[in-house]
Amino acid sequence: MPLRKTAPAGGLRTEEDAYRRALSRFLAGSDEKAVTHAYLDHVVAALPRRRALLDVGPADGTTTRHLAPSFERTVCIEPSEPMRRALRRNCPDAVVLPDPVLEAEPGVTADLALLSHVLYYVPAEQWTATVLRVMEWVAPGGLLLVLLQNPDNACMTMVRHFTGCRFDLGELARELAGAPPGLVGDVALDTLPARYTGSRLSETVEVAEFHLNLPPPLGDGTPPPRDSVEDYVRRHFLTAEGGYTIPHEQDVLRIRRPDAE
């Protein structure tokens, strides 16, 4: 059965615990979390205030747990029940809300908000509305970080090859230029290195299939045949040493809310 994380309009919903297991396998072979956490530590250190952290779609809460000690209060919005179970184990002191993001009322003014690898599961036409909704919960002078894989990295090139999907935060940044005054101030785009390394073909194919379950824009979402994925992995990710490497650089869109006048 294909792993699928789907989303109704403006929300997130994980249909299977298998999705969480596949995510764990991917992250176990990737340096993504280490690189991301180092980047976030620098961001947090530069914040003028650290009263509240808001994490929208935190999954199992690995990054939330890393950041929460720097803040007085942590609030999470996570509509996926399997993810909420893991999140509560990792972040027992966080307030956890089950609502879709466009329906949530977190009751917090955040100095830092995260929207990390969530927009894959939100229809493209709702990206701007989703980000502006989150910005309403960001304190004046606070920061929202939106993370997605870079659209031109090797992993996303594979996704585009099989599904036609392209997810580009650069397009979102251009749309935010027309946001209401007082909600969106400075916008900048950073790119962070990330790399998955595996020793076995079967595990690397599983990681590839995990990424190929990003919802396609057209069609019925039927996953590609496993032998086609296996062939792609051999041709594009096999190293001279006999292992497998999938570069998957991340983009980080930094959106600052203007200071109150």
Side-chain angles (χ1 to χ4, degrees), residues 99-124:
D99 310 290
V101 62
L102 292 181
E103 300 174 14
E105 295 291 346
V108 66
T109 303
D111 298 300
L112 179 65
L114 294 182
L115 192 66
S116 181
H117 296 282
V118 167
L119 292 181
Y120 307 118
Y121 312 105
V122 175

Side-chain angles (χ1 to χ4, degrees), residues 45 74 116 119 128 151 156-157 175 179 215 219-221 224 229:
T74 298
S116 181
L119 292 181
T128 299
M156 289 293 101
T157 298
E175 289 190 16
D220 61 4
V229 179

Side-chain angles (χ1 to χ4, degrees), residues 128 132 172-181 184:
T128 299
L132 292 180
L172 174 61
R174 289 186 286 273
E175 289 190 16
L176 290 174
V184 173

Side-chain angles (χ1 to χ4, degrees), residues 147-231:
L147 284 77
L148 284 182
Q149 287 200 36
N150 180 281
D152 298 315
N153 70 27
C155 185
M156 289 293 101
T157 298
M158 174 190 67
V159 169
R160 189 161 61 254
H161 170 80
F162 283 106
T163 72
C165 289
R166 180 178 172 85
F167 306 94
D168 189 350
L169 286 180
E171 295 179 3
L172 174 61
R174 289 186 286 273
E175 289 190 16
L176 290 174
L183 202 57
V184 173
D186 296 334
V187 177
L189 189 63
D190 299 326
T191 299
L192 309 181
R195 185 175 298 269
Y196 170 85
T197 302
S199 59
R200 297 182 180 180
L201 175 63
S202 60
E203 292 181 356
T204 308
V205 169
E206 182 178 343
V207 167
E209 290 179 328
F210 167 78
H211 287 94
L212 291 172
N213 277 291
L214 296 173
L218 300 173
D220 61 4
T222 302
R226 186 178 179 86
D227 58 350
S228 297
V229 179
E230 187 173 299
D231 179 66

Side-chain angles (χ1 to χ4, degrees), residues 19-141:
Y19 178 94
R20 180 169 54 86
R21 292 193 296 270
L23 174 62
S24 297
R25 178 180 293 281
F26 162 60
L27 291 177
S30 172
D31 61 359
E32 176 184 299
K33 287 299 183 185
V35 172
T36 303
H37 289 179
Y39 173 88
L40 292 174
D41 288 344
H42 286 290
V43 170
V44 170
L47 291 173
R49 295 172 296 276
R50 292 186 285 275
R51 296 163 301 188
L53 168 68
L54 174 64
D55 201 342
V56 181
D60 66 358
T62 301
T63 296
T64 319
R65 179 177 59 190
H66 178 80
L67 293 177
S70 297
F71 293 84
E72 298 174 13
R73 182 185 182 197
T74 298
V75 177
C76 300
I77 300 174
E78 180 51 76
S80 159
E81 174 55 32
M83 293 297 183
R84 284 200 304 275
R85 291 197 298 268
L87 176 60
R88 289 191 176 104
R89 290 193 296 270
N90 283 328
C91 306
D93 295 329
V95 174
V96 180
L97 305 177
D99 310 290
V101 62
L102 292 181
E103 300 174 14
E105 295 291 346
V108 66
T109 303
D111 298 300
L112 179 65
L114 294 182
L115 192 66
S116 181
H117 296 282
V118 167
L119 292 181
Y120 307 118
Y121 312 105
V122 175
E125 63 271 16
Q126 293 189 12
W127 279 20
T128 299
T130 299
V131 167
L132 292 180
R133 176 64 169 163
V134 178
M135 287 301 297
E136 293 177 0
W137 305 321
V138 174

